[in-house]
Amino acid sequence: MNKKRKIIAYKNYFLDFYKNQTDIVQKKIEWTLNLIKITQQVPEKYFKHLEGTKGLYEIRVEVGGNIYRIFSFFDKGNLVVLGNAFQKKTQKTPKQELIKAIKIMEEYHHENKN
């Protein structure tokens, strides 16, 4: 049985980023999020666990040579929670974005203990 994932944006971290993107980038983000919702085994090209983190994932979107990353994590099994997002300018993920993502994940779990 194929269990669909549900995706929610936590607070405005992701939405603020999303609203500032072009239509083409927004469409590709939507396509990628839909893929994550309906695909049992999402290819790492689009959805990858970040090594050295406890449960942090990055959703990977590429549009015309530009690379975008959306940090996310799971809650209650099939719920994917979107945190902060950014446009990637170098090979390495900016440390401040990673720190922010971990803080957002901790904040979410703290608020949603029950």
Side-chain angles (χ1 to χ4, degrees):
M1 187 175 103
N2 189 359
K3 284 194 84 177
K4 279 180 119 177
R5 291 181 191 91
K6 185 177 179 204
I7 298 179
I8 63 164
Y10 177 58
K11 296 196 171 165
N12 280 334
Y13 299 111
F14 165 72
L15 296 172
D16 289 344
F17 170 81
Y18 177 83
K19 280 185 233 159
N20 288 323
Q21 303 310 311
T22 63
D23 286 351
I24 294 168
V25 173
Q26 287 183 357
K27 280 186 176 64
K28 185 68 184 266
I29 289 171
E30 288 164 22
W31 181 89
T32 307
L33 293 178
N34 193 50
L35 178 84
I36 291 165
K37 275 186 200 169
I38 62 172
T39 308
Q40 199 76 36
Q41 284 282 332
V42 183
E44 257 193 19
K45 177 180 185 213
Y46 302 110
F47 193 51
K48 183 179 185 214
H49 178 258
L50 286 171
E51 287 179 32
T53 70
K54 285 195 173 110
L56 200 59
Y57 288 77
E58 65 177 9
I59 295 167
R60 308 163 83 147
V61 179
E62 201 171 323
V63 180
N66 291 317
I67 298 168
Y68 304 89
R69 293 289 184 261
I70 306 160
F71 287 115
S72 62
F73 48 91
F74 282 94
D75 189 18
K76 298 175 185 77
N78 271 348
L79 179 64
V80 178
V81 182
L82 304 179
N84 55 322
F86 64 98
Q87 183 174 352
K88 204 167 173 185
K89 308 267 193 216
T90 61
Q91 282 297 313
K92 282 186 76 63
T93 297
K95 199 154 189 72
Q96 72 270 18
E97 291 291 346
L98 191 56
I99 291 165
K100 185 175 174 186
I102 292 165
K103 282 187 177 146
I104 291 168
M105 182 169 66
E106 287 168 352
E107 180 186 341
Y108 174 88
H109 286 309
H110 182 74
E111 281 182 15
N112 295 279
K113 274 190 180 145
N114 30 348

